[in-house]
Amino acid sequence: MAAIKEDLHKLIDTTNDEKLLEDIFMILSSRRDYKAGSLWTGLTEAQKQEVLASESEIGNEPAWIAQEEMKRRNSKWLR
């Protein structure tokens, strides 16, 4: 782990790309502050119900539509 930290420090120290540094900062900050389950607890009850309903749809294989069939059905909008 020490080697990874050292390499990361070197990369950060040698870059002049401000956007890249901001992105790295955001990634590291969000991972540091992440708490398991926070996404789910941040949803409204309606959003949670939509997620649960979509999970039940996934299990209904006869209702699945192949990608090629969807492309065929929606070809007029995909041009």
Side-chain angles (χ1 to χ4, degrees), residues 40 48-60 64:
W40 182 257
K48 289 177 183 178
Q49 291 306 313
E50 286 183 41
V51 170
L52 294 173
S54 67
E55 282 184 337
S56 67
E57 290 174 7
I58 290 170
N60 184 9
W64 292 6

Side-chain angles (χ1 to χ4, degrees), residues 5-64:
K5 286 183 176 184
E6 185 177 328
D7 289 345
L8 183 57
H9 282 279
K10 286 178 186 174
L11 288 171
I12 290 170
D13 289 341
T14 59
T15 188
N16 292 318
D17 184 338
E18 186 173 350
K19 176 70 173 121
L20 176 60
L21 291 172
E22 288 172 356
D23 290 346
I24 293 169
F25 179 81
M26 292 303 295
I27 291 167
L28 292 175
S29 295
S30 65
R31 292 292 299 257
R32 180 192 63 211
D33 299 336
Y34 174 75
K35 292 185 181 28
S38 62
L39 177 61
W40 182 257
T41 59
L43 297 177
T44 65
E45 284 305 312
Q47 290 169 324
K48 289 177 183 178
Q49 291 306 313
E50 286 183 41
V51 170
L52 294 173
S54 67
E55 282 184 337
S56 67
E57 290 174 7
I58 290 170
N60 184 9
E61 286 189 41
W64 292 6

